[in-house]
Amino acid sequence: MKTHKTAKTKQTPLEFHNRIVDQVVHEAKPKGIHVQPATQWLLWLAASLLVMAFFWMHWGVQANVSQVMQQMPPLFFILSAFAGASLAAWEAITSSIPGRQTGKLYRVLAVLVLIALVSIPFIFFVHPGSLDLGKALVNGTGCAEGAAFSGLIPWIFMGWMLSRNASFHPWWTGLWSGVSAFLMGTITIQIHCPSWDMDHVLMTHLLPAAVGTIFASLLGAFWFSRWKK
């Protein structure tokens, strides 16, 4: 009697690719206790709010902040900054966890919110008679330093948290983590500073967030890739 050997099922290139990807993702997951993305986001929010409260206790807030926050342009600016920071924080967290990346629609929404945030000063805030961005930066050095420093602390915390994940795209993770942290710095200094002039807000409240984001993306390329070594 002849015996028939069971033929091995051939895998298609797509099936082979998917199997390899699944194996790599599984092996890339960080060892030990894995903190869920939602929990990481809540930890980022709590830490950022604590940092903001700490700086407001030491620097104070603008005298008429409650009245200012009832006006649409300032309120819209603060809400846009917070929405942008929140969306960026979630993108940073999910981009650092294999298999949890957000879709294109989410990223488009986050970018649109950031564009709206930068556009608000040009459209609604007081325009000086003659635009002098260099002078605005020199005169507002204290605000620029405050925005940068109050954003740096949340970023260090987020960086420590994200470095425990396993980002396949560390530069991208660093970019979004910088946006989220330094926009919280923008909010911190904006609640403190009574100036809503366009040039002052652009150069001393928003520019530090942009510079901090560039710094975070470059450092993130190294920091968030340590798990590979």
Side-chain angles (χ1 to χ4, degrees):
M1 178 183 250
K2 292 183 179 180
T3 58
H4 298 279
K5 292 183 179 178
T6 305
K8 291 185 178 179
T9 305
K10 272 191 172 183
Q11 289 185 324
T12 64
L14 178 61
E15 290 173 338
F16 178 75
H17 172 270
N18 291 339
R19 183 170 66 84
I20 295 299
V21 169
D22 291 340
Q23 182 179 349
V24 170
V25 168
H26 176 74
E27 293 177 353
K29 290 180 179 179
K31 307 299 181 183
I33 300 174
H34 173 61
V35 182
Q36 292 298 319
T39 303
Q40 294 188 37
W41 187 89
L42 290 173
L43 288 173
W44 161 83
L45 178 61
S48 299
L49 293 177
L50 285 174
V51 170
M52 294 169 83
F54 172 81
F55 281 107
W56 288 336
M57 286 176 60
H58 285 74
W59 295 343
V61 298
Q62 51 186 290
N64 59 339
V65 65
S66 59
Q67 182 181 353
V68 170
M69 288 301 103
Q70 294 176 15
Q71 302 172 21
M72 184 48 66
L75 179 61
F76 188 31
F77 181 80
I78 295 296
L79 291 179
S80 297
F82 183 76
S86 301
L87 291 169
W90 183 255
E91 178 65 29
I93 293 168
T94 55
S95 70
S96 68
I97 302 175
R100 298 301 298 266
Q101 284 71 27
T102 59
K104 290 183 179 179
L105 184 60
Y106 183 94
R107 290 191 287 273
V108 168
L109 174 62
V111 171
L112 288 177
V113 170
L114 295 176
I115 292 175
L117 172 65
V118 176
S119 302
I120 291 171
F122 289 100
I123 300 173
F124 296 108
F125 291 174
V126 177
H127 291 249
S130 57
L131 189 63
D132 191 342
L133 299 180
K135 183 179 179 180
L137 180 60
V138 171
N139 292 339
T141 303
C143 280
E145 292 176 352
F149 190 60
S150 59
L152 180 62
I153 298 176
W155 185 79
I156 292 174
F157 172 78
M158 172 169 271
W160 169 80
M161 187 169 59
L162 298 184
S163 66
R164 300 168 64 86
N165 297 336
S167 176
F168 279 3
H169 306 285
W171 183 89
W172 188 252
T173 300
L175 174 72
W176 285 107
S177 68
V179 172
S180 64
F182 288 102
L183 277 186
M184 296 303 273
T186 296
I187 297 171
T188 302
I189 203 65
Q190 190 66 69
I191 296 297
H192 161 73
C193 176
S195 175
W196 293 89
D197 291 344
M198 181 190 74
D199 54 348
H200 181 81
V201 172
L202 287 174
M203 298 306 295
T204 67
H205 296 182
L206 283 175
L207 181 61
V211 174
T213 296
I214 295 172
F215 166 79
S217 62
L218 294 175
L219 184 57
F222 166 76
W223 195 358
F224 302 137
S225 61
R226 291 183 303 161
W227 66 274
K228 298 179 181 179
K229 299 175 183 178

